[in-house]
Amino acid sequence: MIQKRFFVNGVERNIVVDGDASLADVLRGQMGLTGTKVGCGEGQCGACSVIMNGKVIRSCVTKMKRVDDGAKVETIEGVGQPGNLHPLQQAWMVHGGAQCGFCSPGFIVSAKGLLDQNQNPSREDVRDWFQKHRNACRCTGYVPLVDAVMDAAKVLRGEMKPEELEFKLPEGQSALGSSLPRPTALGKVTGTLDYGADLGMKLPDNALHLALVQAQVSHANLKGIDASEALKMPGVHSVLTHKDVKGKNRITGLITFPTNKGDGWDRPILCDEKVFQYGDAIAIVCADTEANARAAADKVKVDLEVLPAYLSAPEAMAEDAIEIHPGTPNVYYETQLVKGEETAPIFSDSNMVTVEGDFYLQRQPHMPIEPDVGFAYMGDDGKLYIHSKSIGVHLHLYMIAPGLGLEADQLALVANPMGGTFGYKFSPTMEALVGVAALATGRPAFLRYNYKQQQQYTGKRSPFWINLKFAATKDGELKAMESDWSVDHGPYSEFGDLLTMRGTQFIGAGYNIPNIRGNGRTVCTNHAWGSAFRSYGSPQSFFSSESLMDMLAEKLGMDPLELRYKNCYRPGSTTPTGQDPEVFPLPDLLDKLRPKYQAAKEKAKKESTDTLKKGVGISLGIYGCGLDGPDSSEAWAELNPDDTFTIHTSWQDHGQGADIGCVCTAHEILHKMGVPPEKINFTWPNTAKCPNSGPSGGSRQQVVTGNAIRVACEELVKAMEKPGGGFMTYSEMKAADKPTKYEGKWSAAGAKDCDTATGQGKPFLVYMYGAFMSEVTVDITTGETKVDRMTLAGDVGKIVNKLAVDGQMWGGLAQGIGLALSEDFEDIQKHASMVGAGFPYIKTVPDDLELIYIESPRPDGPYGAAGVGELPLTSPHVSIINAISNACGVRITHLPARPEKVLAKLQGK
Ligand code: MCN
Ligand code: FES
Ligand code: FES
């Protein structure tokens, strides 16, 4: 222990600390300054940035013994507080810089460090600064962050009035379509919003800290667990194994299709008979501190009989492969696509031009800045409460209750404010683990993954291995498609069949292809389990069909944009599943892109040099808004005693903006009574208190819950109407003995699940449509690709909140760059950190990300809105891959397009 006397936000502090403790932990723990966040904990994300003696540093890797006596430390709490904001914080709010907001304090502190030195930076200076200080954001695509710094600098230089950085909604106007900042923005930019790890520090003193004993192999029989040594370690309360789990010890994978050969009960909470993947939880150590729990976890001995591990779909499909789940074949679900006439005769017709390709899209890691975190405790009402990053609280409750040995009404799930999930939290992760610990010990139980655990023991995007063929007439009219795809879904079946159906729905989507035959299958492997990931199944699907469209264009001697224009959906077209699209914006979107595309091609030609080759690529992307079939949601609208309103939903917020979506959707109805948006409250999801609005997946909430909110608000307004005009107050409603809370329900009636035998159906009533263009430079001496510019022309229907929608688009494009060029989770060790897994920092993402909108009203969307969350990640990567081919003639069919791969192809290897 050492004594430290230093200044924090101008106040002298005098504390005794462990010299090896990090400054971040001391600020957060001993000083309660939880505005400084810890993401990676390894110096790679900048979430923990503070200013020390005038320099921006990463406090997670700064040991207390390296902090000088008398050092001056400035944290987000010192930069500005609610009511006394720094211009950077104000600018962050009005530019939508805080989506999940987990990175915001670190970015703002870092930007303050820049502006302290240079009040007149260029955009490139700002980008260089964030790159140098490793400030990483997974949500925003960085554009609004640079915008915010530029505006804040103007205010500091006196060139902009601080009031100009405030959003004002004209009185009486609806917030629908406006740039109203989200209600949680203030808490995010000031560091006052508590995320899971912050809440964990505020649990009662008797809370136990958990550490997991995890498998270090990918496939094994479990022979025994010896915890005797661990139990003797300091601070240890108990070591829990499967024997301490009171229920079925399984998380159900919720089989969607009856032809699935598994029963869904394949994922153990704690391993009992087998280890199915690297990182599987074998035991839980409960101790007084996280450090003690982790130290003891290392002492638990596990006796394993190692089995052959199948780390890809082809390996698990090999004839001699043993069944990973004995009794269930490794290929446990198959689905067929049968549309129109037999395709074989079309492919053998000599009048047809045919192309074929094999494609592989990798195991993309989600890489939220906040690693997984959660806690559980017994509530006074006798229920077990589990707080986590769940984006499907009601769904997860039913998936884990039987495993814990609880009835559904004995369990409540609560969603914490979260630092991004991008879909990995569509699967339960640690919910059941903290639940087991709280039930077994009777004490609050807290668990936080480090970044390695985040990478190794949460779900990943499932790789697809796709063979695809097109047949077209000589003038480029698509006549037939044949597809075959295998989905490497890892060891756990949850939603694997549904994901396989995404191949049916999105391979070749966007084009009127009259005749299709396809076969898809879900394969159980021992690599990371497959979970949802933004745009679920469509990046894989479009990688094959949008690459093959370019290959077809080349063979036909047609321009890739014009080939797409010729075949894209128009009235009379049907989707691969035989559905009539609800709107037809693709020709208009391509029309908007065409002049930019032609100019970009000219520019690329002019600017290419002997070593730097420039190219332009196009792709189309489409995604459905909803869960397959008649998806439904519920919301309540309540008038409060102080005449404010609460919209009750369980619209979970990964960071996409559930809060602002809820407020703007409700305001469109409530503003008719003169209610300003500040009087509308939203709720944090809690199954014990909120209606079941379904999960925040499939870009469904704005459409499905948005409709439920609309209905609830309409009912409330109707009830508040006075016979002679005007609206009743709360007291008048009470005096008239009228209820003050109204229910809104909505269901996508008319939608129909796709049939496993034919793939035909009407899975979604509302879709999002986009056309992507990428401009790249390939250095042919190194194989390195730089994305210079991207354009997304999209149609997400009526825009509900402009900041939210722009932010979704930019953020999705940035993830598309990572998907195309660098991101992977194939090597379990090497890819276990952000840098190792290819996280895209600011200089990888161009500052020039242009967005163009068409707002075709959707008949089934609230006020005509579709969703937006997943559109921007449907196929941006394919436009990059097509641009690489355009630049240097190299076609990458196995992602990511890392430099060595491009170089090898350039060298003809
Ligand atoms: N919106 C709008 N106008 C529209 C459509 C949507 O203003 N026409 C707004 C909504 O109000 C909401 C946001 O856009 O604030 C996204 O709405 P929607 O597309 O309905 O998506 P969900 O709310 O269902 O969110 C889920 C979606 C998915 S599936 C993933 S994965 C995802 C995503 O959103 N993960 C994200 N966006 C993310 N953004 C962040 N920052 N972090 C994640 O983890
Ligand atoms: Fe410190 Fe990531 S750099 S938490
Ligand atoms: Fe930057 Fe979410 S807002 S990581």
Side-chain angles (χ1 to χ4, degrees), residues 571-588:
S573 302
T574 53
T575 69
T577 72
Q579 180 179 355
D580 298 328
E582 85 288 25
V583 286
F584 299 93
L586 288 173
D588 289 347

Side-chain angles (χ1 to χ4, degrees), residues 37-48 58 60:
K37 307 298 174 197
V38 175
C40 68
E42 302 176 323
Q44 299 184 356
C45 76
C48 62
R58 276 156 271 163
C60 73

